[in-house]
Amino acid sequence: MNFREIAAKAGVSVATISRVINQPNSVLPETREKVLCVMKEVGYNVNSAKGGNVVPVNGIAVIVPSAIKTEYNSFIQGIISVTSRRNFRVSVFYSNGEIETERQLIHDILNYKYKGGIFMETNLSNGDAHELHLKSFPFVLAQCAAGNTKENVCCINVGEGAYLLTKHLLELKYKHIMLMAEEDSAFVGISEGCKRAAEEAKVGINRMSLEKGENGFKGGMKCAKRIVDMPKEKRPDAVLCPNDLFAIGMLRMFESQKIQVPGDIAVASLRDNELGEVASVELTRIICPFNRLGMMSARMLFDLFEDEQEDIPQEVVLQPKLEIGKSCGNDRDIVAEFL
Amino acid sequence: MSIEFAGLSLKNPVVVAAGSWSSNQENIQKCIDNGAAMVITPTICSEPTPAVNPEVFYKENEVYSLSLYSHYAIEDWEDELEKVEKKDSYVFCSIRGTTVSEIVFLAKQVERIGADGIQLNLFAPMDISLEKSILQTEEKLKNTVKQVVKAVHIPVMVRVPHYIASNVNYVKALNDSGAMAISGIDSIRGLYGVDIEKACAIPDAVAGYTGSHIKPISLAATATLSQLTNMDISSVGGIRNGRDILEFIMLGASTVQLGSVILEKGHAYIGQVIEEISYWMQERGYSSYSEIKGKALNTLLTFEKMAKKVGR
Ligand SMILES: Cc1cc2nc3c(=O)[nH]c(=O)nc-3n(C[C@H](O)[C@H](O)[C@H](O)COP(=O)(O)O)c2cc1C
């Protein structure tokens, strides 16, 4: 008998059943008794629940590539806001974006007997994840590269964000758009999104490739300098930056070189972060809900603890949002709503 | 005098709309204790929505809502609903997400925490972004609702704005979606005015315009929906008293929602309204709301028929 059936029999919600198992003190004594009675009646063994009380600590392991990007912090914060409500602790591990390190970490995580894991921007292939499955370890992949359909996945549709932003620039009549991108896990989605918008408008899009680690403030300064050094006729009239920090670096360099934003060149960001708020020109950017991504990933993981039967992997996709600032020359205030 | 609604048996037709008056356990309990047959939570999203102050802008009896959705996360709602003593009333959760998969996930989450049904909030007056994505066509709307219906074991009701209530293709799509009920109307995109000395808009964002002034629009929407669908109708928008409720039922509503009037008069007013309609029904010798449901519809004519009517 599963949670749903027990809940129906006891006349309570599924959430209450879960509470009786994981946080018995948060349930009214009468309700608790009633539920335990039903469980006994139907022969449900509390300790056999997937992720039930076999491990002494309610721990969840989270792997993120690095500690540098603020979006990882929002993501972890989102996870914590959910796990703390259910008395679960979170440990964060850093993979440095290297697959070997990731494998080692997962090996450790399994040994430490965490109840489940959330792996962000993982490099794991379907095969690796399969290995984890065999050990019946519940886990959720957040923001993984496309094609990982065998697992439980939660991701922000960065491709749609890239599409919205590119389309917006094209509607503002920019003709020479340049995408600044490194080939990270988001790259395929982003370049496809840009391409889709460009094809609809029957134009092309250039790309300046970034080295690994070149996507911060300094990288922005450096790439802006490269643009400044281009012959005028070769310069793009709009740039798509990987994130706000990079965009701020660009703004700084352009300002020092007396290049006007958006007059001479438009600057847009594909991924917001809090620092974007202090940019010298209010940025037009894509808001990527990383806090929400963390919350949803954690909820998906908890579902895996409760659902003994559901073996069909779930995929939850979150939609990013376009926020229109002043860095791309838009002079209408609420158009974002309609894009 | 119970009524059937979305497969449930309700003790009366009075439902409390989604809004700040149902924002937490305490408020929901007040609605139930004052006799509401059903209460709808404010819209629950994946992430809590920040609160703005003030949330409601009043101007000469008109109500402009600047509040978007619930300020609570699902985890908070789990705690709140755990404490609600439902008695013989029902609690529906209003939900909204940015993609079909997100909405489906939320639907399962609110079912998990004890919702008796779902009100899908897809067309919000202050955030029409979904109309460009998952609601762009009738087919997409139908698919969105269908996926939710398939994912849960509780009834699903879809909230529609006035312009969808009279859009035959969209209503047809909803008819085929598996939703049990339809509620309408949403509040309306509205601005109070402009301060012409300062050249500034009032309020400073497009608001959800509601209150008694929108009742004519909701009445027309209910009458239209009655003709276009067999789904149960839950009317909302501008309903102030028992008389209003009876009017909506006579145009085909099964249930009728009270909203901002509760802000003004307090939760006890719900009880007064229920008493008012039961008294009226008894006085007139009706024993069931089905006797008056849709009773005025056959007096509503097309323009052509109205023009031919003797005495016009
Ligand atoms: C303060 C306030 C908050 C509201 N919050 C929500 C909400 O979270 N979700 C929703 O679907 N409708 C919400 N609404 C709209 C109401 O459900 C209802 O449609 C509206 O108030 C119209 O009914 P009324 O004229 O009886 O007030 C809100 C309205 C107000 C005034």
Side-chain angles (χ1 to χ4, degrees):
Chain A
M1 194 171 247
N2 65 16
F3 274 29
R4 174 185 307 287
E5 290 156 338
I6 295 172
K9 205 162 158 59
V12 297
S13 69
V14 171
T16 303
I17 302 291
S18 174
R19 282 167 173 246
V20 168
I21 293 172
N22 292 308
Q23 303 158 258
N25 292 338
S26 73
V27 183
L28 283 175
E30 309 93 84
T31 314
R32 196 169 60 220
E33 279 313 307
K34 192 165 66 183
V35 170
L36 288 173
C37 251
V38 171
M39 283 181 166
K40 215 165 149 190
E41 214 178 292
V42 303
Y44 188 88
N45 181 358
V46 171
N47 290 333
S48 73
K50 200 196 270 183
N53 287 348
V54 270
V55 184
V57 180
N58 282 334
I60 287 173
V62 176
I63 303 181
V64 293
S66 77
I68 299 173
K69 293 188 184 170
T70 54
E71 55 259 40
Y72 297 146
N73 298 334
S74 311
F75 172 69
I76 293 166
Q77 201 50 50
I79 294 176
I80 294 172
S81 71
V82 171
T83 53
S84 63
R85 301 299 299 271
R86 303 204 186 173
N87 280 341
F88 270 73
R89 276 179 240 159
V90 172
S91 311
V92 182
F93 299 85
Y94 299 98
S95 69
N96 209 13
E98 288 158 4
I99 185 145
E100 258 325 300
T101 317
E102 239 178 272
R103 285 213 181 97
Q104 190 55 47
L105 285 174
I106 289 176
H107 181 77
D108 293 350
I109 287 165
L110 288 173
N111 277 339
Y112 292 148
K113 299 211 183 321
Y114 283 93
K115 274 199 181 169
I118 302 174
F119 310 143
M120 168 74 151
E121 286 179 1
T122 179
N123 293 302
L124 288 174
S125 66
N126 265 332
D128 297 307
H130 191 62
E131 198 177 311
L132 292 172
H133 249 330
L134 287 178
K135 295 177 183 169
S136 75
F137 179 72
F139 67 93
V140 172
L141 302 181
Q143 218 52 20
C144 63
N148 223 327
T149 49
K150 287 190 191 140
E151 317 301 338
N152 288 286
V153 171
C154 187
C155 56
I156 299 169
N157 188 349
V158 290
E160 188 63 22
Y163 170 78
L164 288 175
L165 189 55
T166 309
K167 187 170 159 231
H168 176 59
L169 291 176
L170 291 166
E171 281 171 359
L172 290 169
K173 306 282 179 249
Y174 292 103
K175 292 205 168 56
H176 305 287
I177 299 176
M178 184 174 272
L179 169 67
M180 323 294 286
E182 74 172 291
E183 290 195 19
D184 58 9
S185 60
F187 177 69
V188 176
I190 286 181
S191 59
E192 274 173 9
C194 294
K195 236 188 263 163
R196 184 154 55 95
E199 274 163 15
E200 281 175 16
K202 299 193 172 55
V203 296
I205 281 196
N206 290 322
R207 176 177 159 226
M208 183 186 284
S209 52
L210 310 180
E211 311 275 304
K212 190 168 189 244
E214 218 182 26
N215 59 6
F217 178 79
K218 269 194 190 151
M221 296 260 286
K222 226 158 95 183
C223 292
K225 187 72 175 52
R226 274 186 225 152
I227 290 174
V228 173
D229 291 342
M230 287 177 183
K232 258 203 168 125
E233 68 283 1
K234 288 244 160 93
R235 279 186 203 163
D237 53 12
V239 282
L240 291 166
C241 304
N243 58 56
D244 285 6
L245 201 52
F246 184 99
I248 292 175
M250 285 204 124
L251 290 177
R252 174 73 65 86
M253 177 56 69
F254 286 144
E255 268 158 36
S256 73
Q257 302 289 317
K258 306 267 175 302
I259 291 182
Q260 305 279 334
V261 174
D264 300 322
I265 189 165
V267 174
S269 156
L270 287 159
R271 193 178 274 197
D272 71 300
N273 66 39
E274 226 172 311
L275 285 167
E277 306 282 344
V278 301
S280 53
V281 183
E282 192 192 354
L283 288 171
T284 288
R285 57 185 184 166
I286 295 296
I287 306 288
C288 288
F290 277 93
N291 182 73
R292 191 176 352 143
L293 181 71
M295 296 181 86
M296 292 302 256
S297 304
R299 288 171 185 148
M300 284 177 85
L301 185 62
F302 281 118
D303 272 5
L304 293 179
F305 296 162
E306 281 174 14
D307 257 319
E308 301 113 80
Q309 288 171 343
E310 205 164 329
D311 273 336
I312 310 156
Q314 285 202 68
E315 185 186 27
V316 173
V317 180
L318 307 176
Q319 183 82 350
K321 212 172 167 165
L322 173 65
E323 185 176 86
I324 297 183
K326 306 258 182 281
S327 64
C328 297
N330 174 68
D331 55 2
R332 301 187 190 189
D333 290 311
I334 60 167
V335 284
E337 266 194 276
F338 299 89
L339 288 174
Chain B
M1 270 202 251
S2 69
I3 45 155
E4 292 301 308
F5 179 76
L8 306 170
S9 175
L10 267 54
K11 60 181 174 180
N12 66 50
V14 177
V15 169
V16 173
S20 49
W21 44 83
S22 61
S23 61
N24 53 24
Q25 179 267 336
E26 194 186 337
N27 281 328
I28 293 177
Q29 197 64 57
K30 281 185 196 159
C31 299
I32 292 174
D33 292 348
N34 283 295
M38 182 174 135
V39 185
I40 306 172
T41 67
T43 304
I44 303 172
C45 302
S46 308
E47 229 176 340
T49 305
V52 294
N53 191 9
E55 281 198 332
V56 188
F57 173 87
Y58 289 102
K59 213 76 187 180
E60 295 142 26
N61 279 329
E62 298 176 23
V63 183
Y64 298 82
S65 165
L66 289 168
S67 133
L68 266 182
Y69 316 122
S70 174
H71 313 317
Y72 283 0
I74 300 171
E75 288 69 29
D76 302 306
W77 276 108
E78 180 177 334
D79 287 346
E80 297 299 306
L81 291 189
E82 183 81 31
K83 289 181 287 183
V84 170
E85 205 194 322
K86 286 187 201 164
K87 301 179 194 170
D88 50 358
S89 303
Y90 296 99
V91 176
F92 271 43
C93 288
S94 167
I95 59 167
R96 179 184 174 87
T98 58
T99 63
V100 177
S101 59
E102 188 184 7
I103 297 172
V104 165
F105 187 78
L106 286 170
K108 291 198 268 190
Q109 293 276 306
V110 297
E111 180 184 32
R112 177 187 172 275
I113 64 174
D116 299 307
I118 287 169
Q119 174 166 275
L120 278 180
N121 175 349
L122 300 172
F123 305 86
M126 288 135 87
D127 179 2
I128 51 181
S129 53
L130 301 187
E131 295 185 34
K132 286 281 162 202
S133 55
I134 59 174
L135 311 176
Q136 201 179 29
T137 60
E138 298 97 87
E139 213 36 57
K140 283 187 175 178
L141 169 68
K142 181 163 97 186
N143 174 54
T144 302
V145 179
K146 232 180 179 162
Q147 299 288 332
V148 175
V149 170
K150 207 171 78 185
V152 295
H153 306 75
I154 48 179
V156 174
M157 165 160 81
V158 183
R159 164 75 91 85
V160 296
H162 61 287
Y163 54 90
I164 294 293
S166 55
N167 182 318
V168 182
N169 293 336
Y170 272 79
V171 177
K172 270 194 186 145
L174 288 172
N175 282 338
D176 300 337
S177 70
M180 304 272 288
I182 188 162
S183 65
I185 55 176
D186 269 304
S187 47
I188 294 167
R189 288 172 68 79
L191 283 173
Y192 169 73
V194 172
D195 178 333
I196 55 174
E197 299 306 326
K198 295 187 189 139
C200 99
I202 312 170
D204 50 8
V206 171
Y209 176 53
T210 177
S212 56
H213 299 75
I214 74 167
K215 185 183 134 191
I217 305 171
S218 335
L219 277 172
T222 295
T224 309
L225 284 174
S226 298
Q227 322 274 320
L228 297 181
T229 179
N230 290 322
M231 282 181 281
D232 291 333
I233 298 167
S234 187
S235 298
V236 49
I239 293 145
R240 305 272 307 168
N241 51 41
R243 193 196 166 84
D244 290 344
I245 292 179
L246 295 166
E247 288 183 20
F248 277 91
I249 295 177
M250 287 189 178
L251 289 176
S254 295
T255 63
V256 178
Q257 303 182 18
L258 298 176
S260 51
V261 70
I262 303 171
L263 274 189
E264 185 191 324
K265 304 198 180 218
H267 289 85
Y269 183 68
I270 301 167
Q272 279 180 42
V273 170
I274 294 171
E275 211 154 281
E276 190 186 335
I277 55 173
S278 330
Y279 179 77
W280 188 89
M281 292 287 285
Q282 268 165 22
E283 275 285 286
R284 305 295 186 283
Y286 291 116
S287 57
S288 150
Y289 287 102
S290 58
E291 290 169 41
I292 61 163
K293 185 174 150 188
K295 214 177 167 191
L297 281 171
N298 63 2
T299 62
L300 199 60
L301 306 176
T302 58
F303 174 81
E304 290 74 13
K305 284 189 181 160
M306 180 191 72
K308 279 188 223 146
K309 205 168 149 184
V310 185
R312 268 276 176 187

